[in-house]
Amino acid sequence: MGGHRPDALLDQHAKALELFGAYVRRIDDGQWDGPTPCTDWTVRELVNHVTGEQLWIPPLVTEGRTVEEVGDTLSGDVLGADPVAAWELAAAAAHAAFTAPGALERTVQVSYGPTGAAAYCSELTADCVVHAWDLARGIGADDRLPDGLVEFSIKEVMPYADGLAAGGAYAAALEVPAGADAQTRLLALIGRAG
C-alpha cells in the first residue's frame, strides 16, 4: 500500500481531491487562460490535466482496462462548457473507483507497466496535492497546503523525485534551504520554489 493503510490512503486521496476542487470552484471567468507554475499550462489546461487523470481511474481500476484499450478517448479537452461540473464528476468517479471493495488490492495497467492500485492511488494523490499548489498560485489564492497532505506527498515523491524530473513530469529538484518547512521541501523536490 505504499506504506499507507488502505483507510488512511483513501482519506488522503479524498482530502487531495477536495483541496483541488476547492480551488477549481474559486476560479473566476477571467482566470481560465491565466498562467500557472506549470509553464506549459494555463489554469484551464492544468485543471484539464488533473481532471483527465481522474477520468483514467475508473477504466483502469474498476474495469481492468489497459492504457492501449482506453486509447485516446480521454485525450484533449475533457472539461467542456462547464469545467467545474466536469471536475466534480471526474473526482467523484475516481474516488468511488478507489473505495470500491478490493479496489486497492488490484493490479492496474498504467503507462509505465503493471502496478498496484494502491501505489497508483498514492501517486495520483500526491500529484493532485502538487497541482493544487500550482492552481492556487495560478489564481492568486492562498497556497498553503494542509500539513498532512504535504507530509504524505513528500513520502510519496521522495523515492522517485529524480526520475520524475528526468522523465519531464516535473522540473529538476531545487536545493532545499536550511530549516525549510515541509511544504518548501516538497516544492523543492519537484522543482518549484515556494
Side-chain angles (χ1 to χ4, degrees):
M1 296 284 167
H4 305 285
R5 293 185 334 273
D7 56 337
L9 173 55
L10 293 171
D11 182 56
Q12 294 297 329
H13 181 251
K15 287 177 180 175
L17 293 174
E18 180 50 41
L19 176 67
F20 191 84
Y23 289 125
V24 170
R25 291 186 290 276
R26 291 181 61 180
I27 301 169
D28 291 334
D29 288 344
Q31 293 179 311
W32 287 99
D33 293 325
T36 71
C38 298
T39 54
D40 293 341
W41 290 335
T42 63
V43 166
R44 183 182 174 95
E45 289 164 338
L46 174 65
V47 173
N48 189 71
H49 165 73
V50 181
T51 302
E53 285 186 326
Q54 308 318 308
L55 291 173
W56 275 94
I57 296 168
L60 298 182
V61 175
T62 306
E63 301 166 22
R65 294 166 69 192
T66 65
V67 171
E68 294 75 24
E69 288 170 341
V70 176
D72 62 1
T73 60
L74 299 175
S75 297
D77 178 38
V78 297
L79 297 179
D82 190 343
V84 176
W87 161 257
E88 299 289 356
L89 287 170
H95 194 61
F98 277 134
T99 57
L104 292 181
E105 286 80 46
R106 297 179 186 143
T107 298
V108 293
Q109 305 295 326
V110 294
S111 58
Y112 50 84
T115 192
Y120 181 46
C121 182
S122 293
E123 175 189 325
L124 291 182
T125 299
D127 195 64
C128 194
V129 171
V130 169
H131 286 318
W133 181 86
D134 292 329
L135 183 53
R137 279 288 174 106
I139 64 172
D142 179 3
D143 64 9
R144 191 81 211 145
L145 301 170
D147 292 343
L149 286 174
V150 169
E151 293 293 345
F152 174 94
S153 299
I154 288 173
K155 289 176 189 163
E156 174 60 25
V157 171
M158 192 171 290
Y160 54 89
D162 291 342
L164 290 172
Y170 292 116
L174 304 174
E175 190 168 328
V176 181
D181 66 10
Q183 179 165 320
T184 302
R185 290 194 328 267
L186 171 63
L187 295 172
L189 272 174
I190 53 168
R192 287 161 170 78

